[in-house]
Structures are given as structure tokens and as C-alpha cells.
Amino acid sequence: MTESSREARADALLSTAEEARSDRLKIFLGAAPGVGKTFAMLSAARELRRQGTDVVVGLVETHGRAETAALLEGLEVLPRRTVTYRGRDFTEFDLDAALARKPAVLLVDELAHTNLPGWRHTRRWQDIAELLDAGIEVYTALNVQHLESLNDQVRRITGVTVRETVPDAFLDRARDIVLIDLPPRELIGRLKQGKVYMPETAAAALDAFFSPTNLAALRELALETIAAHVDSDLREHMLARGSAMPVRRHVLAAIDGHGQSDYLVRVARRIAERRGAPWSVAFVDTGAAMDPARRERLDAAMRLARRLGGESIILRGHVIADELLAHADREGVGQIILGRTRERPLARMLGTSLTQRLMRRGAHMELTIIATPAERARARRRLRLPGGRGSRGEYLRATLITLGGFGVAFIADRYLAVANLALIFLTTVLVVAVRTRMAVAVYTATLCFIGYNFFFEPPRYTLEIANADDVLAVSMFFLAALICSRLATRLTNQVESLREAQVRARALLGLGQRLTASTDAAGMREVGVQALAKALGAEAAILTRDAGQVLHPVVAAPRTLQLSPQDLAAADWCEQHAEPAGRYTDTLNGAGCWMLPLGAEDHRLGVAALRFDAGKGEPDPDRRSLALAMVQDIGSALERARLADELESARVQGETERLRSALLSSVSHDLRSPLASIIGAAGTLVSYEEKLPPMERRELLEAILGEGQRLDRYIQNLLDMTRLGHGTLKLNRDWTDSAEIVAAAVTRLRKLFPELRVETLAPSEPILLYVHPALIEQALFNILENAARFSPPDQPVRVSVHRSEERLLIDVSDRGPGIPEDERARIFDMFYSVSRGDRAPQSTGLGLAICRGMIGAHGGSVEALPGDGVGTIIRISLPLPAPPDSTP
């Protein structure tokens, strides 16, 4: 088995597993109304109910048929929701009640139904999609004429345009499709008996939709649809079992935005369905200007492709054939579908038409040309010039330039031969052609030729062409007009296309740079909203959930932007389902804003709301694409910020766990050691008090006192670290002499180490500090105690006080073993395990950490420096404020 076949089999197995888990949809498909779809659906539901399955009827339309209504007896039916629309009350399927009830199987009739405006979803099939996503199995009914890809065929067969359609891609979610069929004669008999429509409408239906020919054709369409889905299921199961299947090649439909684009999209869907192949629709933007009607047709075709389950792609380039073939090679396209369009005779003779280029260079692909005779006939009846017909201003400017050329020609007529005057008119045509559209250039060439022939060419003041050379002149006029205007139009369109691409690239680049410069999620949201509003010319906001899980805007541009309840409902649905909602979508499209999700479904990071000017209609594909790209960049940046926060939280949690373990270890050792000494000494006194000499009793009491003081210092250190960690250490600042702080700390040290020599070097002039004296004394004492524990017995501890610019430096040096350079910065961390520094056997492991916190609270710093050849210097640096004013 090859690597590709193994991947295909894995994909098929995964697809089968996902469908079995998520898509539990059963569709009863009929060729026409009245074949018995609802009857069959209710019969299946009753059988499930008999087997003990929880079956609920969400909505069933009986259409007054008694035998259908009888099948509802004994089944639970959800009440319908009453909706008021234009002053009248209507009943609709209650989606929220169905989600709250959440039965095992739910019956929802009329899959193609259109909901009333203001409903959550535009179509009922979208309601059913939400039910499927919630894990509810759904039974529903559908007529084949409502399939989107068959819409044009149904119109040709019956002459009726079906407005309510269901995307073919939704049928791909069906686990089972049951064909409900009746021969045309039996269906017509039921219609005459009044079992389909009321008698007053049955006669009209027989003469129109329900003709035997129409029913036979619709029946064939239903059979083809079922066969296509059976083939698709067979392919999936064979691949899942490892059976060989032909390689699926991508199907690509190329559209141009003219009248038959929708037709080509539907044809591509049907061909891809029959072949079981993925498909897409592409439009090549050459930079040529498009009129609003063509742009709207193109947008509609792209939306139709997405509804039918295809991918819509916009390519950019100057040669359509080159862009299509390059895209086909990248994506593995095996078939390209084109509409048959009018081709210029010259291009056909030179072999440069689109069809000829594709056939010549795409020999490895299958090229399918779909005939569109109606559009071809209309194209022949009207003249189309590249670039359009031009505006009134362009024609006015061309007329003025032409009049100027005539003026120059009348003056030159006195000095030049008539043949040379043609060059003046040719120059006039060139001036106009390089600045305007082809239609305007042709208009100018016509004026110049008529004027040249009438006023200057003999016989003058007639339109008679007496000289054969004049034919060459008129040909040159028109040839120059056509060539130059064509080049100018192409250049103008290319410049416009490049300008639009530059605007898009600049907007995305600027957004990326500002997002990168932002340090937190709040800043990224602010940057994103401002960029969206500026680049798209729209009002923008980002919504997130607060602590109460309520979605609300956290940043907006402008800040006065107000969102309606419909906007908030659309945003809530968008955030929950990670899909666009609101305006320009089929979900809650009564909202005024277009809602786009930020982040993925598994990590929802909020919703971006965009409100465009209501008077300008739907944004064009370029603006929509830019909006989607910018929102995706904002979501990616927020995702990175979220990951960074999680990493920091994990780091802090790990550090907290390490400190907790170290604290427990320190507490278990540093509390038990003095307690054991105290208990031991106290126990000896209790047991042998009368037998011990006074000197030994005094030694035991002094040991109890010393260990108690040691325990008190340890507990005080823990309390200080707690206050520092919570930021509750209160500073009671006062002016004090630095020499007094040093003297007090040294005095405390000598009580603890009576044999220790301490040398103090301080300036004779007082140096005033504005500090909390007790805290600075405690910090200095911790450093002195640390130095005393590691200094040799015969070596002194030196304390040096001196001034350096605007700071006071206190250096405490010892002659101990010293601290390696790579560990000097870490000795101030709590519970850092080393055998030097503040880590003597009787140390609490907190002294230097507390010292750094106390000094830091005063705006100072503590650092470890190497000694003079041996030992360590701990330097305290404190800022020196301006001296107090001594004047009264």
C-alpha cells in the first residue's frame, strides 16, 4: 500500500467515524409534493417510538390530510412559537425549545422552508444544522426541486423558479437518504382526489407543475441525486476498507461575472458530485474595471459556490489562462470548466483566445466548455469595448482636445502639405487614447477622420474619399486609437490593481507591526479595532465575556458605538459556534453588524463586530477578504498572548510549587532544630533540676533562651517575607543618620556573636537618609549575620559607608570562602540551595531575600561582589534625597 493510499484510507476512516458521531440526519427525499414524504417520516417515527426511542415532533405540516394527522397521535409534539410579522401572527418551529428538550430523535418537516425575518437563522436547514451540532438526530423531508445545484434544471423543466433552496453540501451531512417515489399517474390520481392540494388549486397544478412530462423529469432528477450519494458513500466505505479507488482530481470552474456564472457554478457542483471530487470556483481579476451589475453577479456566484460546498477563489494576474493553469498545477486540478463565450476573430486566428491557450498548454487536464447560448446571443447584439464606454467628462475632454487639434491643423494648413496634416490628427488621437478608455479613443478617431476628410482632403467640404491613401489614414487613426487606448486602459487597470493590493498589504503590515508592539491582550484589542475601523471605513468593536460570562464590548471605534440587542444576540451565536453571523450572513441577519469570531472553536477569544454604512450595500469581495484577514491576524495575536499568559502562569505555578517545597523543607528543619534543643534542655531541667549544679542549669537556660531567640528571628523573617510578597510592608519614613543605623545593627550583631571583630569605616560628616530606620537596620543586620557565620574566627567583618554621587553605599565584606560569579545574583532568591552565602547550617534561608525586599521597597538595590582576593562583599545602595529644609 502506497503512502497516498494509506493517507486516503485514514481520511476515509476518520470521516466515517466523525459522521457516525456527529451527523445523524435522515432525509426523506421526494420527486414532487404529495408522494408521501411526511407520511413515511411519521411512520418511521412511530416504529422508533414502539422500540422505546425518545421521539419528539418538532414540526410537521399535515396540509389537511387526515391520514397524515392520524399518525401524530401518541407522539410528543413541541408547541410552536408565535411570531408577529407586519401586524399578523405566524407560528414557527421553536428551535430553543427543541434544544432544551434534546430528544434522541426529532422530526422537523419542510427542510427548505424560509424563516420569517428576524429569526435566528434565515433557513430551516440552518436550524437543523444547529440541532445536529447539539447531538440530536433529526428526521426531515425535502423535494428534489429545492436542491440548489438543480435550480436551473428545474426552471428549464417546469418553467418555475424555485426560491427556497437547500445547499447540496447540507445533504452531504445526511447519514441516510430515503427516496419516496410514486409513478406520475398515481401522483396525478392523488392530486385529482384532493389528497395533495385543495380541489380549487389542484386543477391549476395539473395544468402547470404536475404535468406528466414534468413529473417524469423530476423523478429522474431524484433518482440521479440518490445515485450520486450512493456512489459517494460507496467510495468512502471502500477507501475505509482499503479497496482501490481512482484518484480524485479537483474540479475547477472559471467564471467571469457575466450572466451565466451561476449556471456554471451549479454545473461544476453536479460534475464534482458525480465524480466524488472536491471542487472550487475561480475568478481571475486582471485589474479591469467592472460595472456594479457585473460585480454583483460575481459576488452572487461566489456566495452560491460556498453554499453548495465549494471553495471560492479570486486570482490576480494579467493573463487569465496563465493564472488558471498555474492555480490548477498547484492544487492538482484535473478538470477545468468554462462557459462558451464570444471570442474575437483576430484572437481566434492568432490562436490567443482563452480556450485555445488552455487547450494548448493544459494538455494534461480535461477541459469542459459549457454552452450558454442565451448569453452568447445577447453578447452578439451589443458592442463591448474594453474599459467600458467612458464618462461624459471623458467625452468632453476628448472633444476639446480634438477641437484644439483642428485649430492647430487650420494654422498649419498655410505652411504644410495636406499629407502632413494627418500627423497632427494622429497626434491628437494618441493624446486622447493614452489618457482615456477605448470607446472615447474610437470616438476621437472618428471625429478626426471626418474633420480631416471634410476640411482638408480634396475635394474639400465633402465626405468623399477620392484618394486611396485616405483609407490608410483612417486605418492609422483607428489603429492608433485602439492600440494606445488598450495599452493605457491595461496600464490604468494594473496600477489600480496594484494600488488596491498595496493598500491591503499596508493595512496588514501596519496591523502586524502594531500587534507585535502590544504587550498584552487589551492593547492588541485596542490596536485591532483602530486598524479595522481605519482600513475598512467601518465602525468596529471587539466583544469578550466578563466574569459572569456575559458578552459585551471591551473596546470600540468610535468609543460611542452602541450595539443593539440583535447585534449582541448575533455576537453570542458567533462566539459559541465560531462562525460568522449577523449582517451579510444567513444567521441573525437582522443585526446591523457583521460578527466575525476571534480564535478557534476550542479557544474562543471574543468576537469582532463591523458595522458598514447601510447606504453602500454589502462590501465588495476585496474588503470582505481584507476584513477576514485582519480579524484572523488579530485572533492569532490574541492566541499568542493567551499562550504566553498560560506559559507565564505555568512558570509561576512551577516556581510557587518549588518555593512551597523549599519552605516546607526549611520549616521542617529550621523549626524542629531549635524546638528540639529547647525541649531537650527543658526536659533535662525538669528531670534533673536538683541534681544539676547551678552552672549547668544556667547553661541549659541560656540554651533555651538562645534557641528561643533564634526561633523568634526565623518566625519574624517569615512574617517579613509574607508582608513583602503581599505588598503590605508599610514604610514609616523619617530622617536619620546613616551612622546611627550602622551602629545599631553592629550592636545587635555583637550580642549574637560576642567574639566577632567588626571594623567600621564611616565619614566624619553625617549622611542623612529618608527611610524607615528599623527596616534598613534589619536588612543590614541580616547581611552582617550572614557575613559573621562564614568569616573565619580570627578575621574581622568590615562595614564601609561612603557616598557615590547621589547614592549611599554600605559595603559589608567578609573573609569567607566566597561565592562563584554565576551564583552571586541567585543568593538573594528564597531557598536557593547553595553551601555558601546565606546558607549556614543554622540559617533560615531567608535573610538575604528579605534584605533585597526591604532595600528594594526604599528604591535601593543589593548586590554581591567579589572580595579583595578572598571572601565576598555585599553592597547596599540607597538613594540620597535632598536634605530637609531647616528654616522655620
Side-chain angles (χ1 to χ4, degrees):
M1 183 182 293
T2 64
E3 184 68 23
S4 60
S5 63
R6 282 195 295 268
E7 292 179 358
R9 182 179 180 185
D11 291 341
L13 285 170
L14 181 61
S15 176
T16 302
E18 290 179 349
E19 288 178 2
R21 181 174 63 254
S22 60
D23 290 343
R24 295 175 292 180
L25 174 65
K26 189 170 186 176
I27 299 177
F28 294 83
L29 181 68
V35 296
K37 302 180 300 299
T38 305
F39 189 91
M41 181 174 65
L42 287 172
S43 299
R46 293 181 67 87
E47 177 61 24
L48 288 176
R49 180 64 181 270
R50 189 185 65 80
Q51 297 173 6
T53 305
D54 182 18
V55 180
V56 173
V57 177
L59 182 141
V60 163
E61 298 288 356
T62 63
H63 298 290
R65 301 165 191 160
E67 64 273 16
T68 303
L71 293 177
L72 287 172
E73 296 181 3
L75 294 176
E76 179 183 349
V77 180
L78 290 179
R80 300 189 185 188
R81 175 175 290 185
T82 302
V83 180
T84 302
Y85 178 66
R86 293 182 177 178
R88 297 178 58 191
D89 290 337
F90 299 88
T91 59
E92 286 280 11
F93 167 59
D94 195 339
L95 176 59
D96 292 328
L99 290 171
R101 175 63 175 80
K102 199 172 184 179
V105 178
L106 182 70
L107 275 62
V108 183
D109 204 359
E110 297 191 353
L111 178 62
H113 173 75
T114 300
N115 294 325
L116 290 173
W119 205 245
R120 181 184 306 175
H121 300 296
T122 305
R123 302 295 178 86
R124 181 164 293 164
W125 64 265
Q126 294 173 306
D127 295 339
I128 294 178
E130 188 168 345
L131 293 169
L132 294 174
D133 293 337
I136 301 174
E137 184 172 357
V138 178
Y139 282 19
T140 188
L142 176 71
N143 287 322
V144 73
Q145 71 264 22
H146 292 290
L147 282 177
E148 182 69 59
S149 65
L150 302 177
N151 191 262
D152 53 341
Q153 286 184 273
V154 172
R155 182 172 59 251
R156 288 199 304 272
I157 293 171
T158 64
V160 176
T161 300
V162 179
R163 303 297 181 187
E164 295 181 326
T165 58
V166 176
D168 293 53
F170 184 76
L171 264 69
D172 296 338
R173 301 188 63 172
R175 184 181 60 190
D176 299 311
I177 299 180
V178 181
L179 178 62
I180 309 299
D181 185 36
L182 274 181
R185 290 185 179 181
E186 292 187 24
L187 181 56
I188 292 174
R190 285 173 52 83
L191 187 67
K192 291 179 178 179
Q193 296 170 12
K195 295 182 178 181
V196 179
Y197 293 129
M198 300 302 291
E200 56 270 17
T201 60
L206 282 170
D207 294 335
F209 192 87
F210 283 83
S211 68
T213 303
N214 290 351
L215 293 177
L218 292 174
R219 192 182 186 198
E220 182 178 354
L221 287 179
L223 292 172
E224 289 179 356
T225 302
I226 289 292
H229 281 272
V230 169
D231 289 344
S232 178
D233 292 341
L234 178 61
R235 279 190 294 269
E236 293 292 340
H237 287 295
M238 291 187 69
L239 282 173
R241 293 170 53 190
S243 301
M245 289 293 292
V247 178
R248 297 191 303 172
R249 299 299 302 274
H250 199 100
V251 175
L252 175 67
I255 63 174
D256 56 6
H258 292 302
Q260 297 300 315
S261 294
D262 286 358
Y263 176 77
L264 290 176
V265 171
R266 293 188 175 95
V267 169
R269 161 68 193 189
R270 292 198 295 269
I271 292 176
E273 176 68 20
R274 287 196 294 268
R275 297 192 173 194
W279 66 286
S280 57
V281 175
F283 168 74
V284 180
D285 184 1
T286 61
M290 282 196 295
D291 56 85
R294 183 183 173 193
R295 169 65 70 178
E296 178 58 33
R297 287 192 296 268
L298 176 63
D299 294 345
M302 291 296 190
R303 290 194 297 268
L304 175 61
R306 291 191 291 268
R307 287 202 306 271
L308 293 178
E311 182 183 5
S312 59
I313 303 166
I314 295 181
L315 306 173
R316 286 181 170 82
H318 307 311
V319 181
I320 296 176
D322 292 346
E323 297 303 322
L324 289 176
L325 291 173
H327 176 75
D329 290 337
R330 287 194 305 267
E331 301 298 329
V333 172
Q335 182 179 10
I336 298 179
I337 301 174
L338 295 172
R340 186 178 179 184
T341 58
R342 182 174 59 88
E343 297 176 344
R344 297 179 180 87
L346 180 60
R348 197 162 50 241
M349 287 188 297
L350 296 177
T352 59
S353 67
L354 175 60
T355 304
Q356 289 170 322
R357 287 183 177 183
L358 291 176
M359 293 179 66
R360 185 168 58 250
R361 298 178 51 195
H364 57 292
M365 300 179 190
E366 180 181 350
L367 186 63
T368 303
I369 302 176
I370 306 298
T372 55
E375 176 64 20
R376 191 161 175 258
R378 285 194 299 269
R380 285 176 173 173
R381 288 195 299 267
R382 60 178 181 261
L383 175 63
R384 287 176 177 259
L385 292 175
R389 298 181 178 180
S391 63
R392 292 183 178 180
E394 289 176 324
Y395 284 105
L396 178 60
R397 284 193 296 272
T399 302
L400 294 176
I401 293 174
T402 303
L403 292 176
F406 274 109
V408 174
F410 278 117
I411 296 173
D413 186 30
R414 302 177 182 179
Y415 310 102
L416 300 177
V418 174
N420 293 328
L421 297 180
L423 298 177
I424 297 176
F425 290 102
L426 182 60
T427 303
T428 302
V429 173
L430 292 176
V431 170
V432 174
V434 298
R435 298 175 60 87
T436 59
R437 307 170 191 267
M438 184 176 291
V440 181
V442 171
Y443 163 76
T444 305
T446 303
L447 289 182
C448 288
F449 171 72
I450 293 174
Y452 171 73
N453 186 49
F454 185 83
F455 291 107
F456 302 102
E457 185 67 25
R460 297 196 176 196
Y461 310 114
T462 67
L463 295 177
E464 179 183 355
I465 301 178
N467 192 344
D469 293 339
D470 294 341
V471 178
L472 178 61
V474 69
S475 301
M476 293 301 298
F477 287 161
F478 282 105
L479 184 61
L482 293 174
I483 293 177
C484 294
S485 62
R486 178 64 173 171
L487 293 176
T489 301
R490 176 178 293 184
L491 181 60
T492 302
N493 293 334
Q494 290 176 359
V495 170
E496 186 65 27
S497 179
L498 290 174
R499 184 180 293 114
E500 293 178 359
Q502 184 182 18
V503 169
R504 174 188 173 92
R506 188 186 299 116
L508 292 176
L509 178 61
L511 174 62
Q513 291 174 342
R514 290 191 291 272
L515 288 175
T516 303
S518 300
T519 58
D520 57 1
M524 292 177 181
R525 296 188 187 99
E526 180 69 31
V527 165
V529 162
Q530 297 297 333
L532 286 170
K534 181 179 179 180
L536 301 174
E539 297 177 337
I542 290 181
L543 299 86
T544 60
R545 294 194 183 276
D546 56 18
Q549 294 303 304
V550 177
L551 199 65
H552 65 96
V554 293
V555 60
R559 299 188 182 278
T560 57
L561 176 63
Q562 298 292 327
L563 299 180
S564 65
Q566 292 85 354
D567 292 330
L568 295 176
D572 186 75
W573 192 94
C574 172
E575 197 265 349
Q576 289 185 16
H577 296 81
E579 293 180 4
R583 194 178 179 189
Y584 316 129
T585 70
D586 292 331
T587 301
L588 296 171
N589 54 14
C593 293
W594 183 24
M595 301 296 177
L596 299 173
L598 292 169
E601 188 173 358
D602 52 345
H603 292 294
R604 300 181 177 93
L605 303 174
V607 175
L610 297 173
R611 179 182 291 165
F612 294 91
D613 188 352
K616 296 183 179 180
E618 184 175 350
D620 57 56
D622 288 335
R623 293 178 73 193
R624 290 175 65 94
S625 176
L626 178 58
L628 292 172
M630 295 182 71
V631 169
Q632 184 177 6
D633 287 352
I634 296 170
S636 298
L638 291 175
E639 178 69 10
R640 289 195 299 271
R642 184 190 66 82
L643 292 175
D645 291 342
E646 289 185 356
L647 288 174
E648 180 64 18
S649 299
R651 187 193 66 80
V652 171
Q653 185 176 1
E655 182 68 15
T656 302
E657 181 62 24
R658 187 186 68 81
L659 292 177
R660 187 186 69 84
S661 300
L663 178 62
L664 290 176
S665 175
S666 176
V667 168
S668 63
H669 176 269
D670 294 322
L671 280 180
R672 293 182 65 182
S673 296
L675 284 175
S677 299
I678 293 173
I679 292 172
T684 301
L685 287 173
V686 171
S687 301
Y688 305 102
E689 181 180 5
E690 300 297 334
K691 300 178 180 180
L692 293 175
M695 183 60 66
E696 293 184 5
R697 287 201 299 271
R698 182 175 179 84
E699 290 178 354
L700 290 174
L701 290 173
E702 289 178 350
I704 293 174
L705 178 61
E707 294 298 327
Q709 292 173 343
R710 175 185 167 192
L711 186 61
D712 179 69
R713 289 195 302 274
Y714 179 70
I715 294 174
Q716 184 61 42
N717 283 340
L718 288 177
L719 292 176
D720 290 341
M721 284 307 303
T722 301
R723 287 194 292 268
L724 286 171
H726 289 284
T728 58
L729 188 65
K730 185 178 180 181
L731 299 181
N732 297 317
R733 292 179 180 265
D734 196 5
W735 290 99
T736 183
D737 187 2
S738 59
E740 294 180 2
I741 294 177
V742 172
V746 170
T747 301
R748 287 179 58 189
L749 182 68
R750 284 175 174 161
K751 291 180 180 180
L752 188 62
F753 299 94
E755 304 298 329
L756 179 69
R757 287 192 300 135
V758 181
E759 297 178 359
T760 303
L761 300 175
S764 57
E765 299 84 3
I767 302 177
L768 296 181
L769 296 172
Y770 189 63
V771 295
H772 188 153
L775 293 181
I776 300 299
E777 178 190 331
Q778 180 63 42
L780 180 59
F781 175 78
N782 288 348
I783 295 175
L784 289 170
E785 182 184 9
N786 181 78
R789 294 186 185 280
F790 283 93
S791 288
D794 57 341
Q795 296 293 327
V797 172
R798 291 185 175 87
V799 181
S800 173
V801 181
H802 58 283
R803 184 171 183 166
S804 177
E805 297 180 353
E806 299 300 324
R807 301 188 75 83
L808 176 71
L809 303 181
I810 303 176
D811 292 344
V812 178
S813 58
D814 62 63
R815 309 293 291 178
I819 301 174
E821 182 178 359
D822 58 343
E823 297 187 12
R824 288 173 191 159
R826 305 178 67 183
I827 64 171
F828 298 98
D829 295 339
M830 290 189 296
F831 310 114
Y832 179 66
S833 298
V834 294
S835 59
R836 293 165 292 275
D838 185 18
R839 304 297 179 262
Q842 295 183 348
S843 170
T844 64
L846 294 172
L848 292 183
I850 294 173
C851 173
R852 181 177 63 178
M854 291 178 174
I855 298 299
H858 289 80
S861 62
V862 184
E863 59 180 333
L865 303 173
D868 298 332
V870 66
T872 302
I873 298 176
I874 304 296
R875 172 171 291 176
I876 297 176
S877 175
L878 289 169
L880 287 176
D885 189 1
S886 59
T887 59

